[in-house]
Amino acid sequence: VQLQASGGGLVQAGDSLRLSCSASDASGRLSSDALMGWFRRAPGKEREFVVSIGRGTGIVYGRDSMKGRFTISKDNGKNTLYLQMNSLKPEDTAIYYCAAAVAPGKPYQYWGQGTQVTVSS
């Protein structure tokens, strides 16, 4: 399984960005039970969970602090995961990673390379 994140960039506070994560899964390890998620690592901080979505169920697992600003979606036909980020704040500056777990409760074992998001004030 290979994941490739893209869409990051330099924006101003209040702007929006949409990140994409393209999944290549020749092994077929990502079934409908899989969980696809976004994480981020801000400068000097630990990596943190942002939001995830069940590949088959579409159930979203997210952080309350980001609800209303960050929206996860997927296109299984294109094997692509998205993260729509609105009303960006300087504290959202981080490297954003997409990841996949074969099922809820399992560790995220597949990771993309990350895409840098920088929000200026």
Side-chain angles (χ1 to χ4, degrees):
V1 177
Q2 292 185 330
L3 304 176
Q4 184 167 0
S6 61
L10 172 62
V11 297
Q12 293 187 332
D15 285 351
S16 298
L17 270 180
R18 189 177 80 156
L19 306 183
S20 299
C21 176
S22 176
S24 175
D25 182 22
S27 62
R29 292 177 182 173
L30 299 183
S31 70
S32 59
D33 292 333
L35 203 58
M36 308 292 294
W38 289 97
F39 291 74
R40 69 183 185 184
R41 187 194 301 271
K45 295 187 178 181
E46 297 291 319
R47 185 176 62 198
E48 64 176 356
F49 169 76
V50 176
V51 65
S52 65
I53 187 169
R55 190 167 183 270
T57 64
I59 295 174
V60 174
Y61 307 86
R63 296 174 56 182
D64 289 341
S65 61
M66 297 181 187
K67 288 181 180 178
R69 292 198 306 123
F70 289 10
T71 303
I72 191 171
S73 63
K74 60 183 178 64
D75 185 333
N76 288 349
K78 294 182 179 179
N79 271 342
T80 302
L81 180 73
Y82 302 100
L83 181 65
Q84 178 67 41
M85 304 186 294
N86 299 327
S87 302
L88 283 163
K89 305 175 181 179
E91 51 264 42
D92 294 319
T93 294
I95 300 174
Y96 284 73
Y97 300 89
C98 57
V102 295
K106 297 293 186 181
Y108 285 88
Q109 62 184 106
Y110 304 109
W111 292 85
Q113 84 288 1
T115 185
Q116 176 72 48
V117 172
T118 302
V119 184
S120 63
S121 58

